[in-house]
Amino acid sequence: MTYQWTRRELVRAAGLSLATMALSPLRLHGWQNARRSPRITARPRGNVTTTLVSGPLGLGDRDGRDGVVQMPASVVAGRPLPMLLFLHGATQNGAGMLRRLGPAADAHGIVIVAPDSRAVTWDAIRDDFGVDVEYLNRVLDHVFARVAVDPTRLAIGGFSDGASYGLSLGLANGDLFPRVMACSPGFIVQAPAQGKPKLFFSHGTADQILPIDQCSRVMVPRLRTLGYDVTFREFAGRHEVPPDIADEACRWMTGS
């Protein structure tokens, strides 16, 4: 039987292991090392005409877990779009993420793809990389075939457990995602790093779920020591993504 870690135990393990890791990309980890590959093989395609519209992805399983996409209100024909793959927190779903980031993303012309995890949270957080990586590959293949995506403005990110998972995948797939957006992350799962994506962290100073002192304030200095370009925004708040932080993250992603 797989041991079910509580959120308090995850935070404790993350803080202890990150505080004692060696200065090597392969030693960047949270409570466990990845045994299976976190690599994503889907890639943006050339000569694609954007045809996708906002709504369900239509790739879900029989339990109804699928995901959603939000297209910008204004799409210029022939112009590649920035795209953010944004991952939800534990027990949540992709639709809930649009309520957090949707208005800011639309204001900056960003496509948001918000898939649902295959179970109540992302696989590596409970066990190891596997079915969720396979599903994200399917999702990205589906979107890349229907949206002209600008590969220089392609990002992965998430909130809470989704931020931990997105950060772990982003570091392992920096050759695909030049930017990674982590909103209130808890830890990083160790996997071989690829590329050097730029990173955006946000975290509430009164976060009651994933305390900032044990999470982002440990991870950010270590990542900077390892040579990553990290933008870190602390804010006076709890476990959330305030509208002004969402707007700043989207501006950072697009360079606007």
Side-chain angles (χ1 to χ4, degrees):
M1 177 180 293
T2 301
Y3 180 74
Q4 302 300 305
W5 289 62
T6 67
R7 195 180 296 271
R8 185 184 301 275
E9 288 168 326
L10 286 173
V11 170
R12 184 185 302 116
L16 290 174
S17 58
L18 280 165
T20 59
M21 68 185 177
L23 298 183
S24 163
L26 300 185
R27 293 288 297 161
L28 193 63
H29 59 86
W31 60 273
Q32 71 170 36
N33 299 341
R35 296 179 299 275
R36 287 182 283 179
S37 175
R39 293 288 289 161
I40 292 174
T41 58
R43 291 294 185 271
R45 308 177 190 180
N47 302 317
V48 172
T49 300
T50 297
T51 58
L52 197 61
V53 297
S54 298
L57 285 167
L59 299 173
D61 56 27
R62 63 179 179 272
D63 295 325
R65 295 194 65 78
D66 179 29
V68 293
V69 60
Q70 176 184 286
M71 299 296 295
S74 178
V75 175
V76 178
R79 181 180 297 175
L81 296 166
M83 194 193 97
L84 171 63
L85 179 66
F86 200 75
L87 309 180
H88 61 76
T91 76
Q92 300 174 352
N93 58 30
M97 296 301 96
L98 295 187
R99 292 190 288 273
R100 296 180 185 274
L101 240 62
D106 187 57
H108 292 277
I110 299 170
V111 179
I112 290 190
V113 179
D116 299 340
S117 59
R118 300 300 78 206
V120 295
T121 194
W122 304 95
D123 50 22
I125 292 171
R126 298 181 59 152
D127 181 18
D128 197 6
F129 294 111
V131 294
D132 282 319
V133 174
E134 295 168 4
Y135 185 62
L136 292 180
N137 262 313
R138 286 181 57 209
V139 168
L140 289 173
D141 270 333
H142 177 80
V143 174
F144 290 156
R146 294 163 177 82
V147 178
V149 173
D150 182 350
T152 68
R153 295 186 295 166
L154 176 60
I156 186 171
F159 170 68
S160 191
D161 281 0
S164 299
Y165 196 67
L167 183 56
S168 301
L169 283 181
L171 295 178
N173 292 277
D175 50 343
L176 171 61
F177 301 108
R179 293 181 182 250
V180 179
M181 185 188 300
C183 301
S184 305
F187 56 93
I188 301 169
V189 179
Q190 177 180 330
Q194 299 287 336
K196 267 295 197 290
K198 293 184 177 180
L199 311 176
F200 180 95
F201 275 67
S202 68
H203 216 121
T205 54
D207 193 319
Q208 76 283 16
I209 303 296
L210 294 169
I212 190 171
D213 283 337
Q214 295 170 265
C215 298
S216 291
R217 284 179 179 169
V218 176
M219 288 185 279
V220 167
R222 281 299 183 189
L223 287 162
R224 286 174 173 162
T225 299
L226 294 171
Y228 288 92
D229 180 342
V230 187
T231 298
F232 183 25
R233 293 292 178 261
E234 298 185 8
F235 60 90
R238 290 161 68 84
H239 198 58
E240 57 187 313
V241 186
D244 60 327
I245 295 295
D247 184 72
E248 181 177 357
C250 288
R251 282 190 287 108
W252 168 86
M253 179 190 153
T254 59
S256 60

